[in-house]
Amino acid sequence: MFYLFEDIENKKLNLLDKFFSLLFLLLPIALISGPFLSDLILSLIGIYFIFISFRDNLWNYYKNYFVYLFICFYLFILFNSIISHDPFFSLKSSVFYFRYLFFVLGASYLLKINYKLINCFLFILIGLTVIIFFDSLLQFLYGKNIFGWNQFPSRVSGLFGDNLVMGRYFSHIMPIMFALLLIQKKNNKKILFIGIVLLSLISIITFLSGERAAFINLCIASFIILLLTSQFRKYSLYLFILNIGIIFFLLISSSNLKDRFVSQSINQINNESGQYLLSREYEALFVTSFRMFKDKPILGHGPNLFRIKCADPKYNVPKWGCSTHPHNTYLQLLSEIGLIGTFPILLSFFIVSYFYIRQLYIQWFTYKKSILNDYQICLLASITITIFPLTTSLNFFNNWISILYYLPLCFLLINPSVNKANKLMKNEAIFQKSSNF
């Protein structure tokens, strides 16, 4: 249903294929370092795919609804930037936005021609999870991580240093990791055990990060996976109780975490100055963005221009109503690119929600074959927390978070669980390793 490619094929790789496959494997590590290296890798993979599109006549890769929808969205935000109040600044965010399209197609191409890349990517994600877990735990317990980096007040950042995005990173990576884990065909009990351990480690990491929105996103993704996947559904209650127990233990054992997740949350919603939706800062930003939307509801004010237009007294809520973005994806899109630009994102949310409801109905009330397999459900869970309207978010046009937004699409557009792939992997050492893991 979602697949761009019919199945995985075994192709003899040339030197360039191997080099860019290696770059793709380094992407999860590069994301930890910040936006520069990760965006560089994304851009190089995109450039390589443009090159091989001409060299190998790969024009069939462009004949699908994802490409058509992306091109329409790109042309709209480009046009919107040109006619905006500050075209030069807005074009910085929109003119090179096409690189995400070629990254998705390029990564899907690499995954399609090299099945080993899928298992290697999984091993790297698992390795990073374990390393960051122990590093974060060390920083939480002793105030410094393995590099001597200090803990922030009520926040653990671990290897992410000054970037307080560790929880956000894992809330998006976890569903991808589970998707790649659940396509392993051997020893389901071991896979189940690994999944339980990984979910527990990631829950702890995200909670220690102090990122409340990221923790909510992780809960949403976990709920979807535990409720809808065939391998985890029957254990969902036990996993839920386990993770609630872990979080409760962390809350009672750490006054900083209790203050961050309980006391601060209550005080931000209800304090001496009044009652607020989330906090007075967020509410001011939400009101400012809504005023901007009402002024230009169809086209908006231009991509990434909230930070400039929010200072206008016509829109601004004094003291708290201006920032780089309004901290909600839909309010940012409505204020910056209007109803036309927001429609594809909102439509995607309703389509994914429809598939969830239909999948749930089939599982509970009929004996028909499910419309989604476990692999698809996990990847759609990652996409869901990107387009979910009721949580706070980072800047939609930020290059670091955009890579995490588009990464699950690289895997969703291929089908690694078909019989042909299993036949190809049968005699390979990498497949044996993944079976014995």
Side-chain angles (χ1 to χ4, degrees), residues 180-197:
L180 304 185
L181 185 65
L182 290 176
I183 61 172
Q184 309 299 323
K185 294 297 183 181
K186 297 293 183 180
N187 207 330
N188 289 335
K189 289 184 178 180
K190 284 188 177 181
I191 289 174
L192 181 64
F193 174 75
I194 294 171
I196 293 172
V197 172

Side-chain angles (χ1 to χ4, degrees), residues 129-168:
T129 301
V130 174
I131 292 170
I132 292 175
F133 169 76
F134 284 109
D135 181 75
S136 303
L137 195 61
L138 183 68
Q139 191 178 60
F140 173 70
L141 294 174
Y142 300 103
K144 295 179 183 290
N145 75 339
I146 56 176
F147 293 113
W149 298 342
N150 292 322
Q151 177 185 348
F152 286 83
S154 303
R155 308 284 294 270
V156 170
S157 61
L159 296 177
F160 289 79
D162 294 335
N163 299 318
L164 298 174
V165 292
M166 183 172 69
R168 187 77 60 170

Side-chain angles (χ1 to χ4, degrees), residues 165 168 325 327 329 332 392-396 398 400-401 405:
V165 292
R168 187 77 60 170
H325 61 288
H327 294 272
T329 296
Q332 179 182 1
T392 56
S393 61
L394 300 183
N395 186 348
F396 183 82
N398 175 273
W400 185 86
I401 194 63
Y405 287 172

Side-chain angles (χ1 to χ4, degrees), residues 247-266:
I247 299 309
F248 181 74
F249 173 78
L250 290 172
L251 279 176
I252 63 174
S253 62
S254 171
S255 58
N256 285 337
L257 287 175
K258 183 179 179 181
D259 178 67
R260 173 68 179 170
F261 280 92
V262 181
S263 302
Q264 286 187 29
S265 298
I266 293 174

Side-chain angles (χ1 to χ4, degrees), residues 234-427:
K234 55 185 176 182
Y235 302 101
S236 57
L237 180 61
Y238 304 107
L239 289 170
F240 175 77
I241 294 173
L242 173 64
N243 281 278
I244 288 294
I246 292 172
I247 299 309
F248 181 74
F249 173 78
L250 290 172
L251 279 176
I252 63 174
S253 62
S254 171
S255 58
N256 285 337
L257 287 175
K258 183 179 179 181
D259 178 67
R260 173 68 179 170
F261 280 92
V262 181
S263 302
Q264 286 187 29
S265 298
I266 293 174
N267 290 335
Q268 286 176 339
I269 294 172
N270 187 10
N271 55 52
E272 68 280 356
S273 62
Q275 294 182 337
Y276 303 94
L277 183 62
L278 291 177
S279 70
R280 59 184 175 182
E281 294 84 1
Y282 280 137
E283 189 167 304
L285 290 170
F286 295 166
V287 172
T288 297
S289 60
F290 187 68
R291 289 174 179 175
M292 290 173 58
F293 163 67
K294 287 198 301 181
D295 190 40
K296 290 188 176 182
I298 306 301
L299 297 178
H301 293 266
N304 218 19
L305 287 185
F306 177 86
R307 66 186 68 201
I308 295 176
K309 299 296 291 185
C310 66
D312 191 327
K314 182 166 57 172
Y315 313 121
N316 181 261
V317 175
K319 194 174 182 179
W320 310 109
C322 202
S323 181
T324 56
H325 61 288
H327 294 272
N328 178 271
T329 296
Y330 287 87
L331 288 174
Q332 179 182 1
L333 294 179
L334 286 170
S335 62
E336 293 184 347
I337 56 178
L339 287 169
I340 295 177
T342 307
F343 177 75
I345 311 300
L346 186 61
L347 179 63
S348 300
F349 174 73
F350 283 121
I351 291 174
V352 172
S353 299
Y354 165 76
F355 282 126
Y356 287 149
I357 294 171
R358 190 174 172 190
Q359 175 85 358
L360 194 61
Y361 176 80
I362 290 173
Q363 288 178 345
W364 285 84
F365 300 106
T366 73
Y367 296 98
K368 295 180 181 179
K369 184 179 179 181
S370 298
I371 60 172
L372 301 171
N373 59 38
D374 289 353
Y375 175 80
Q376 293 171 319
I377 290 169
C378 292
L379 294 173
L380 287 176
S382 183
I383 295 173
T384 300
I385 61 176
T386 296
I387 58 179
F388 190 71
L390 301 181
T391 58
T392 56
S393 61
L394 300 183
N395 186 348
F396 183 82
F397 294 102
N398 175 273
N399 53 352
W400 185 86
I401 194 63
S402 292
I403 297 172
L404 288 173
Y405 287 172
Y406 281 98
L407 187 58
L409 284 171
C410 304
F411 295 92
L412 191 61
L413 294 181
I414 65 167
N415 183 5
S417 59
V418 294
N419 293 331
K420 183 176 178 181
N422 294 328
K423 187 182 294 185
L424 289 170
M425 290 191 286
K426 183 170 61 175
N427 297 317

Side-chain angles (χ1 to χ4, degrees), residues 168-185:
R168 187 77 60 170
Y169 174 86
F170 277 102
S171 66
H172 286 273
I173 288 295
M174 184 277 289
I176 299 174
M177 196 185 315
F178 267 63
L180 304 185
L181 185 65
L182 290 176
I183 61 172
Q184 309 299 323
K185 294 297 183 181

